[in-house]
Amino acid sequence: MNAETIPSGQLACLLRDAAAGMLADMAAVDLICRHGRFLGDPAFRRIIAAGSSITTGQPLAVIRWKAAICALEAGQLPCSGSEQAILRIAASLADPGIAVNLRDNLGNLDARNIALVTDSIKAANG
């Protein structure tokens, strides 16, 4: 299975299925899906690992968060300032090893994106 060829709606479902049961992971995936920019971007899709569950054999997909941040910082994932902020905040929710400076990132967000981030933080905390 290749994440680059999966329709966006199906890819969102696979990402959500893989994150199910883990509040912070689900919040991060939902932030990316609800933002609407990333799942259609071929560069972003290249950092998504897609395959089958080793326990059930069902298809699944996961965002490789550290790879996403590395691609962003290397210029391989061109984004506006607000898109970078959304990706950094989502990655920080999903991976405890990825720190985010909220002061630097929240200033780049408009009212819609602030609402998405706020909803994600609430979801991550149950």
Side-chain angles (χ1 to χ4, degrees):
M1 181 180 297
N2 182 342
E4 294 179 58
T5 61
I6 300 169
S8 292
Q10 182 181 356
L11 183 57
C13 289
L14 294 173
L15 290 167
R16 285 182 173 115
D17 286 348
M22 297 171 283
L23 293 177
D25 292 357
M26 185 62 115
V29 167
D30 277 344
L31 178 56
I32 292 298
C33 293
R34 291 178 61 215
H35 183 264
R37 183 254 192 244
F38 295 99
L39 293 188
D41 181 354
F44 185 76
R45 283 173 170 250
R46 283 191 287 277
I47 57 99
I48 296 174
S52 300
S53 167
I54 58 171
T55 56
T56 66
Q58 295 297 312
L60 62 83
V62 294
I63 297 169
R64 296 181 306 123
W65 295 106
K66 286 182 181 162
I69 297 302
C70 287
L72 182 67
E73 291 174 352
Q76 299 168 340
L77 188 57
C79 294
S80 69
S82 66
E83 292 166 347
Q84 287 183 40
I86 291 292
L87 181 56
R88 289 179 188 282
I89 292 166
S92 181
L93 285 169
D95 187 327
I98 298 175
V100 65
N101 183 320
L102 290 176
R103 181 179 181 153
D104 290 345
N105 286 284
L106 293 178
N108 288 319
L109 301 178
D110 61 15
R112 176 187 177 269
N113 286 320
I114 286 288
L116 290 174
V117 168
T118 301
D119 290 346
S120 293
I121 291 169
K122 288 178 189 175
N125 287 304

